[in-house]
Amino acid sequence: MQFTSFYGLAFNPFTKDGAGKEKPYESQDFKSAKDVLKYLVDAKGIGTVTAEPGMGKT
């Protein structure tokens, strides 16, 4: 059994062929962070992204 069917995924999100990139999942936290980063760009400000290890900052 492949992990995609085991976890009920429609595609493999780890491939580099672009499958599934047309509509990525955006959580509320992601949307908030994106809004803050957009504000920093518009205001020509400076900022730092911080989070616990393993939270996907890279």
Side-chain angles (χ1 to χ4, degrees):
M1 174 183 285
Q2 287 197 353
F3 74 93
T4 51
S5 59
F6 181 80
Y7 289 106
L9 301 173
F11 59 90
N12 180 351
F14 305 110
T15 62
K16 294 184 180 184
D17 64 1
K21 290 186 180 180
E22 61 276 349
K23 189 177 178 187
Y25 173 72
E26 292 189 10
S27 67
Q28 188 59 42
D29 291 336
F30 177 79
K31 290 176 187 176
S32 296
K34 190 168 67 170
D35 290 342
V36 170
L37 292 172
K38 183 177 179 338
Y39 170 78
L40 285 172
V41 168
D42 294 343
K44 295 181 178 24
I46 188 169
T48 302
V49 176
T50 61
E52 295 293 322
M55 298 300 294
K57 297 174 294 296
T58 58

